[in-house]
């Protein structure tokens, strides 16, 4: 299976923006649904959003809807997460995941990139 590697995290002030990337190596995005998840400090993993392989349909958690946008460049095997209007509560380790298109279980994960939003 592909190896996923996230980048683009950092420190940003509340109200700011960041764009995260997730690149695949050792394989392609072909046939994979992709997703973003996050692990806030002291909390459980949260779903952020997903994008399908078939037609790039996206779904978002209510907490990020309207502020975050997921996109993918299949030719470059890269997934993106554009984050706008960031809140301190968006602070988390963000990581991408993949699963076979249409299947239920996420089977592959990156190691994550830290996003810290200061107030």
């Amino acid at each position: 299976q592909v190896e996923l590697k996230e980048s683009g995290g950092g420190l940003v002030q509340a109200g700011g923006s960041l764009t995260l990337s997730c690149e695949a190596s050792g394989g392609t995005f072909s046939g994979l649904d992709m997703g973003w998840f996050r692990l806030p400090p002291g909390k459980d993993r949260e779903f952020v959003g997903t994008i399908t392989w078939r037609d790039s349909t996206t779904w978002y958690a209510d907490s990020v809807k309207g502020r975050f946008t997921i996109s993918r460049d299949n030719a470059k095997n890269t997934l993106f997460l554009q984050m706008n209007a960031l809140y301190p509560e968006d602070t988390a380790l963000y990581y991408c995941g993949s699963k076979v298109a249409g299947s239920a279980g996420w089977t592959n994960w990156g190691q994550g990139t830290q996003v810290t939003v200061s107030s």
Side-chain angles (χ1 to χ4, degrees):
Q1 59 187 4
V2 299
E3 180 178 342
L4 303 176
K5 183 173 177 59
E6 303 87 346
S7 62
L11 175 63
V12 63
Q13 288 189 330
S17 299
L18 276 177
T19 299
L20 307 184
S21 300
C22 169
E23 296 186 53
S25 59
T28 74
F29 276 177
S30 177
L32 298 177
D33 293 337
M34 302 297 298
W36 284 100
F37 301 80
R38 65 187 184 185
L39 186 64
K43 296 184 180 180
D44 294 332
R45 183 178 69 195
E46 297 178 352
F47 164 80
V48 174
T50 65
I51 185 167
T52 65
W53 157 252
R54 187 172 67 89
D55 56 8
S56 293
T57 299
T58 54
W59 286 275
Y60 299 94
D62 288 343
S63 59
V64 306
K65 201 173 295 182
R67 299 188 297 123
F68 290 10
T69 302
I70 296 174
S71 60
R72 61 191 293 165
D73 184 337
N74 292 327
K76 295 183 179 179
N77 295 318
T78 304
L79 175 74
F80 302 98
L81 179 65
Q82 173 68 45
M83 305 185 293
N84 298 323
L86 285 161
Y87 303 142
E89 49 264 43
D90 293 317
T91 294
L93 181 69
Y94 284 74
Y95 53 100
C96 58
S98 68
K99 64 181 180 72
V100 173
S103 67
W106 296 91
T107 56
N108 193 24
W109 307 92
Q111 292 191 339
T113 185
Q114 179 67 37
V115 172
T116 301
V117 184
S118 63
S119 57

